[in-house]
Amino acid sequence: MTRASKFALFLAGASLLTTTACTDPAMMNGTDPYQRTKEGAALGTVLGAITGAAISKDKGKGAVIGGILGGVTGAAIGSDLDKQEAELRGSLDNRVAITNTGDRLIVSMPQDILFEIDSTYVQPVLRDDLRTVATSLRRYPNSTVQVLGHTDNTGSAEYNFDLSQRRAAAVSSILIGAGVSANRIQTIGRGEDQPVATNLTPEGRARNRRVDIVILPN
């Protein structure tokens, strides 16, 4: 068997591992506590194999080494995300949504509980939750954090963009004040451009008014 054939066979096996990890019924039903760890390992294996083959003169050997290293790294990232997600779910207000996509955590805070109408002052009831998030970020320091402000489409687009930027900055300020390095945080206003629900109903507009804290492992 040629090196190219071995390399192709390895990638096929790694791809099968990824498919199995993502379609396992227990994982899809949310009953596997190691779901993200397995998905991270599978994805890391594939990406590591591709990278290892690309930079190595011996494509087959490079793919194997890269796959092993990538799998270990991916599993570690997935495990940390699982742990961080569990800790945050047990500590935050139940109105705060947490989404684990396997490569990031998204902590979504409705602006209606964060701010008064047209205000950028963070309400006291949510300040403790933001400090809890900050504590978690300090415990898991190997990540970049995006703070994204979103609005509904009520009012002008220019005003909504400015408001979303200022509200994101208010949240970032609390995280930084609670000890998170400013170098880790990116503050971004999205205005009305990225709705998650229809703006035709009050319920939909309420869902669109939010601040997302996106945790991206390095």
Side-chain angles (χ1 to χ4, degrees), residues 147-168:
V147 181
L148 308 174
H150 301 272
T151 70
D152 60 24
N153 67 349
T154 304
S156 71
E158 293 80 7
Y159 177 81
N160 288 334
F161 175 79
D162 179 68
L163 180 62
S164 70
Q165 180 72 31
R166 288 187 288 121
R167 285 182 165 179

PDB file of all heavy atoms in Angstrom, residues 147-168:
ATOM      1  N   VAL A 147     -18.025  39.775  23.382  1.00  0.00           N
ATOM      2  CA  VAL A 147     -19.258  40.288  23.972  1.00  0.00           C
ATOM      3  C   VAL A 147     -20.019  40.997  22.855  1.00  0.00           C
ATOM      4  O   VAL A 147     -19.584  42.031  22.346  1.00  0.00           O
ATOM      5  CB  VAL A 147     -18.976  41.244  25.143  1.00  0.00           C
ATOM      6  CG1 VAL A 147     -20.284  41.746  25.740  1.00  0.00           C
ATOM      7  CG2 VAL A 147     -18.141  40.545  26.218  1.00  0.00           C
ATOM      8  N   LEU A 148     -21.154  40.399  22.476  1.00  0.00           N
ATOM      9  CA  LEU A 148     -21.902  40.865  21.305  1.00  0.00           C
ATOM     10  C   LEU A 148     -23.248  41.447  21.725  1.00  0.00           C
ATOM     11  O   LEU A 148     -24.084  40.751  22.305  1.00  0.00           O
ATOM     12  CB  LEU A 148     -22.134  39.698  20.336  1.00  0.00           C
ATOM     13  CG  LEU A 148     -20.903  38.888  19.923  1.00  0.00           C
ATOM     14  CD1 LEU A 148     -21.312  37.686  19.090  1.00  0.00           C
ATOM     15  CD2 LEU A 148     -19.935  39.753  19.151  1.00  0.00           C
ATOM     16  N   GLY A 149     -23.472  42.708  21.409  1.00  0.00           N
ATOM     17  CA  GLY A 149     -24.749  43.339  21.706  1.00  0.00           C
ATOM     18  C   GLY A 149     -25.695  43.234  20.517  1.00  0.00           C
ATOM     19  O   GLY A 149     -25.291  43.422  19.368  1.00  0.00           O
ATOM     20  N   HIS A 150     -26.972  42.907  20.798  1.00  0.00           N
ATOM     21  CA  HIS A 150     -27.983  42.752  19.747  1.00  0.00           C
ATOM     22  C   HIS A 150     -29.252  43.507  20.149  1.00  0.00           C
ATOM     23  O   HIS A 150     -29.578  43.600  21.332  1.00  0.00           O
ATOM     24  CB  HIS A 150     -28.343  41.287  19.533  1.00  0.00           C
ATOM     25  CG  HIS A 150     -27.183  40.416  19.153  1.00  0.00           C
ATOM     26  ND1 HIS A 150     -26.788  40.235  17.847  1.00  0.00           N
ATOM     27  CD2 HIS A 150     -26.344  39.669  19.926  1.00  0.00           C
ATOM     28  CE1 HIS A 150     -25.752  39.401  17.822  1.00  0.00           C
ATOM     29  NE2 HIS A 150     -25.463  39.050  19.062  1.00  0.00           N
ATOM     30  N   THR A 151     -29.982  44.006  19.161  1.00  0.00           N
ATOM     31  CA  THR A 151     -31.263  44.676  19.416  1.00  0.00           C
ATOM     32  C   THR A 151     -32.332  44.098  18.491  1.00  0.00           C
ATOM     33  O   THR A 151     -32.043  43.318  17.582  1.00  0.00           O
ATOM     34  CB  THR A 151     -31.174  46.187  19.156  1.00  0.00           C
ATOM     35  OG1 THR A 151     -31.036  46.416  17.739  1.00  0.00           O
ATOM     36  CG2 THR A 151     -29.995  46.814  19.885  1.00  0.00           C
ATOM     37  N   ASP A 152     -33.576  44.510  18.726  1.00  0.00           N
ATOM     38  CA  ASP A 152     -34.625  44.220  17.738  1.00  0.00           C
ATOM     39  C   ASP A 152     -34.570  45.324  16.672  1.00  0.00           C
ATOM     40  O   ASP A 152     -33.622  46.106  16.622  1.00  0.00           O
ATOM     41  CB  ASP A 152     -35.993  44.119  18.412  1.00  0.00           C
ATOM     42  CG  ASP A 152     -36.399  45.403  19.130  1.00  0.00           C
ATOM     43  OD1 ASP A 152     -35.897  46.490  18.766  1.00  0.00           O
ATOM     44  OD2 ASP A 152     -37.226  45.326  20.059  1.00  0.00           O
ATOM     45  N   ASN A 153     -35.583  45.385  15.820  1.00  0.00           N
ATOM     46  CA  ASN A 153     -35.543  46.372  14.733  1.00  0.00           C
ATOM     47  C   ASN A 153     -36.383  47.608  15.016  1.00  0.00           C
ATOM     48  O   ASN A 153     -36.683  48.391  14.109  1.00  0.00           O
ATOM     49  CB  ASN A 153     -35.971  45.739  13.410  1.00  0.00           C
ATOM     50  CG  ASN A 153     -37.445  45.323  13.401  1.00  0.00           C
ATOM     51  OD1 ASN A 153     -38.107  45.315  14.438  1.00  0.00           O
ATOM     52  ND2 ASN A 153     -37.963  44.979  12.222  1.00  0.00           N
ATOM     53  N   THR A 154     -36.780  47.799  16.281  1.00  0.00           N
ATOM     54  CA  THR A 154     -37.541  48.990  16.645  1.00  0.00           C
ATOM     55  C   THR A 154     -36.613  50.207  16.635  1.00  0.00           C
ATOM     56  O   THR A 154     -35.545  50.180  17.243  1.00  0.00           O
ATOM     57  CB  THR A 154     -38.169  48.822  18.036  1.00  0.00           C
ATOM     58  OG1 THR A 154     -38.980  47.646  18.046  1.00  0.00           O
ATOM     59  CG2 THR A 154     -39.013  50.035  18.392  1.00  0.00           C
ATOM     60  N   GLY A 155     -37.027  51.273  15.954  1.00  0.00           N
ATOM     61  CA  GLY A 155     -36.170  52.444  15.862  1.00  0.00           C
ATOM     62  C   GLY A 155     -35.259  52.360  14.651  1.00  0.00           C
ATOM     63  O   GLY A 155     -35.317  51.418  13.859  1.00  0.00           O
ATOM     64  N   SER A 156     -34.372  53.342  14.522  1.00  0.00           N
ATOM     65  CA  SER A 156     -33.489  53.385  13.359  1.00  0.00           C
ATOM     66  C   SER A 156     -32.339  52.394  13.516  1.00  0.00           C
ATOM     67  O   SER A 156     -31.918  52.072  14.627  1.00  0.00           O
ATOM     68  CB  SER A 156     -32.921  54.792  13.172  1.00  0.00           C
ATOM     69  OG  SER A 156     -31.975  55.084  14.191  1.00  0.00           O
ATOM     70  N   ALA A 157     -31.830  51.937  12.386  1.00  0.00           N
ATOM     71  CA  ALA A 157     -30.709  50.993  12.415  1.00  0.00           C
ATOM     72  C   ALA A 157     -29.481  51.631  13.051  1.00  0.00           C
ATOM     73  O   ALA A 157     -28.730  50.963  13.780  1.00  0.00           O
ATOM     74  CB  ALA A 157     -30.397  50.526  10.994  1.00  0.00           C
ATOM     75  N   GLU A 158     -29.258  52.925  12.781  1.00  0.00           N
ATOM     76  CA  GLU A 158     -28.096  53.617  13.348  1.00  0.00           C
ATOM     77  C   GLU A 158     -28.178  53.674  14.867  1.00  0.00           C
ATOM     78  O   GLU A 158     -27.188  53.417  15.562  1.00  0.00           O
ATOM     79  CB  GLU A 158     -27.993  55.039  12.775  1.00  0.00           C
ATOM     80  CG  GLU A 158     -27.681  55.111  11.296  1.00  0.00           C
ATOM     81  CD  GLU A 158     -28.903  54.865  10.426  1.00  0.00           C
ATOM     82  OE1 GLU A 158     -30.032  54.777  10.971  1.00  0.00           O
ATOM     83  OE2 GLU A 158     -28.744  54.760   9.199  1.00  0.00           O
ATOM     84  N   TYR A 159     -29.375  53.996  15.377  1.00  0.00           N
ATOM     85  CA  TYR A 159     -29.537  54.064  16.829  1.00  0.00           C
ATOM     86  C   TYR A 159     -29.361  52.686  17.452  1.00  0.00           C
ATOM     87  O   TYR A 159     -28.703  52.539  18.493  1.00  0.00           O
ATOM     88  CB  TYR A 159     -30.920  54.623  17.185  1.00  0.00           C
ATOM     89  CG  TYR A 159     -31.159  54.647  18.674  1.00  0.00           C
ATOM     90  CD1 TYR A 159     -30.651  55.679  19.451  1.00  0.00           C
ATOM     91  CD2 TYR A 159     -31.872  53.627  19.308  1.00  0.00           C
ATOM     92  CE1 TYR A 159     -30.844  55.691  20.822  1.00  0.00           C
ATOM     93  CE2 TYR A 159     -32.064  53.638  20.676  1.00  0.00           C
ATOM     94  CZ  TYR A 159     -31.546  54.674  21.430  1.00  0.00           C
ATOM     95  OH  TYR A 159     -31.733  54.681  22.785  1.00  0.00           O
ATOM     96  N   ASN A 160     -29.936  51.682  16.818  1.00  0.00           N
ATOM     97  CA  ASN A 160     -29.835  50.332  17.368  1.00  0.00           C
ATOM     98  C   ASN A 160     -28.392  49.836  17.402  1.00  0.00           C
ATOM     99  O   ASN A 160     -27.975  49.179  18.351  1.00  0.00           O
ATOM    100  CB  ASN A 160     -30.701  49.363  16.549  1.00  0.00           C
ATOM    101  CG  ASN A 160     -32.174  49.578  16.799  1.00  0.00           C
ATOM    102  OD1 ASN A 160     -32.571  50.057  17.854  1.00  0.00           O
ATOM    103  ND2 ASN A 160     -33.000  49.224  15.820  1.00  0.00           N
ATOM    104  N   PHE A 161     -27.633  50.159  16.358  1.00  0.00           N
ATOM    105  CA  PHE A 161     -26.227  49.754  16.345  1.00  0.00           C
ATOM    106  C   PHE A 161     -25.478  50.414  17.497  1.00  0.00           C
ATOM    107  O   PHE A 161     -24.709  49.768  18.215  1.00  0.00           O
ATOM    108  CB  PHE A 161     -25.573  50.113  15.012  1.00  0.00           C
ATOM    109  CG  PHE A 161     -24.098  49.837  14.986  1.00  0.00           C
ATOM    110  CD1 PHE A 161     -23.612  48.553  14.789  1.00  0.00           C
ATOM    111  CD2 PHE A 161     -23.189  50.862  15.194  1.00  0.00           C
ATOM    112  CE1 PHE A 161     -22.244  48.299  14.792  1.00  0.00           C
ATOM    113  CE2 PHE A 161     -21.828  50.621  15.201  1.00  0.00           C
ATOM    114  CZ  PHE A 161     -21.353  49.336  14.997  1.00  0.00           C
ATOM    115  N   ASP A 162     -25.689  51.722  17.654  1.00  0.00           N
ATOM    116  CA  ASP A 162     -24.998  52.447  18.733  1.00  0.00           C
ATOM    117  C   ASP A 162     -25.390  51.898  20.104  1.00  0.00           C
ATOM    118  O   ASP A 162     -24.531  51.702  20.973  1.00  0.00           O
ATOM    119  CB  ASP A 162     -25.323  53.941  18.641  1.00  0.00           C
ATOM    120  CG  ASP A 162     -24.666  54.736  19.750  1.00  0.00           C
ATOM    121  OD1 ASP A 162     -23.433  54.847  19.755  1.00  0.00           O
ATOM    122  OD2 ASP A 162     -25.405  55.219  20.644  1.00  0.00           O
ATOM    123  N   LEU A 163     -26.690  51.628  20.296  1.00  0.00           N
ATOM    124  CA  LEU A 163     -27.151  51.104  21.582  1.00  0.00           C
ATOM    125  C   LEU A 163     -26.545  49.725  21.844  1.00  0.00           C
ATOM    126  O   LEU A 163     -26.115  49.437  22.970  1.00  0.00           O
ATOM    127  CB  LEU A 163     -28.675  51.019  21.596  1.00  0.00           C
ATOM    128  CG  LEU A 163     -29.313  50.487  22.886  1.00  0.00           C
ATOM    129  CD1 LEU A 163     -28.995  51.400  24.057  1.00  0.00           C
ATOM    130  CD2 LEU A 163     -30.820  50.326  22.710  1.00  0.00           C
ATOM    131  N   SER A 164     -26.502  48.885  20.824  1.00  0.00           N
ATOM    132  CA  SER A 164     -25.943  47.547  21.024  1.00  0.00           C
ATOM    133  C   SER A 164     -24.465  47.608  21.380  1.00  0.00           C
ATOM    134  O   SER A 164     -23.975  46.825  22.206  1.00  0.00           O
ATOM    135  CB  SER A 164     -26.152  46.693  19.772  1.00  0.00           C
ATOM    136  OG  SER A 164     -25.351  47.130  18.690  1.00  0.00           O
ATOM    137  N   GLN A 165     -23.753  48.539  20.773  1.00  0.00           N
ATOM    138  CA  GLN A 165     -22.331  48.699  21.071  1.00  0.00           C
ATOM    139  C   GLN A 165     -22.127  49.161  22.508  1.00  0.00           C
ATOM    140  O   GLN A 165     -21.269  48.640  23.235  1.00  0.00           O
ATOM    141  CB  GLN A 165     -21.716  49.711  20.100  1.00  0.00           C
ATOM    142  CG  GLN A 165     -20.228  49.970  20.309  1.00  0.00           C
ATOM    143  CD  GLN A 165     -19.354  48.817  19.876  1.00  0.00           C
ATOM    144  OE1 GLN A 165     -19.704  48.089  18.955  1.00  0.00           O
ATOM    145  NE2 GLN A 165     -18.227  48.631  20.546  1.00  0.00           N
ATOM    146  N   ARG A 166     -22.933  50.138  22.928  1.00  0.00           N
ATOM    147  CA  ARG A 166     -22.784  50.671  24.285  1.00  0.00           C
ATOM    148  C   ARG A 166     -23.177  49.635  25.339  1.00  0.00           C
ATOM    149  O   ARG A 166     -22.554  49.539  26.406  1.00  0.00           O
ATOM    150  CB  ARG A 166     -23.623  51.945  24.440  1.00  0.00           C
ATOM    151  CG  ARG A 166     -23.043  53.139  23.673  1.00  0.00           C
ATOM    152  CD  ARG A 166     -23.769  54.431  23.955  1.00  0.00           C
ATOM    153  NE  ARG A 166     -25.093  54.463  23.340  1.00  0.00           N
ATOM    154  CZ  ARG A 166     -26.232  54.625  24.005  1.00  0.00           C
ATOM    155  NH1 ARG A 166     -26.218  54.749  25.328  1.00  0.00           N
ATOM    156  NH2 ARG A 166     -27.388  54.668  23.373  1.00  0.00           N
ATOM    157  N   ARG A 167     -24.181  48.838  25.055  1.00  0.00           N
ATOM    158  CA  ARG A 167     -24.589  47.803  26.007  1.00  0.00           C
ATOM    159  C   ARG A 167     -23.556  46.683  26.091  1.00  0.00           C
ATOM    160  O   ARG A 167     -23.270  46.175  27.179  1.00  0.00           O
ATOM    161  CB  ARG A 167     -25.967  47.269  25.620  1.00  0.00           C
ATOM    162  CG  ARG A 167     -27.082  48.238  25.967  1.00  0.00           C
ATOM    163  CD  ARG A 167     -28.454  47.702  25.645  1.00  0.00           C
ATOM    164  NE  ARG A 167     -29.491  48.493  26.294  1.00  0.00           N
ATOM    165  CZ  ARG A 167     -30.795  48.282  26.184  1.00  0.00           C
ATOM    166  NH1 ARG A 167     -31.233  47.276  25.412  1.00  0.00           N
ATOM    167  NH2 ARG A 167     -31.665  49.037  26.831  1.00  0.00           N
ATOM    168  N   ALA A 168     -22.990  46.310  24.956  1.00  0.00           N
ATOM    169  CA  ALA A 168     -21.918  45.322  24.982  1.00  0.00           C
ATOM    170  C   ALA A 168     -20.734  45.848  25.790  1.00  0.00           C
ATOM    171  O   ALA A 168     -20.114  45.112  26.566  1.00  0.00           O
ATOM    172  CB  ALA A 168     -21.491  44.974  23.561  1.00  0.00           C
TER     173      ALA A 168
END
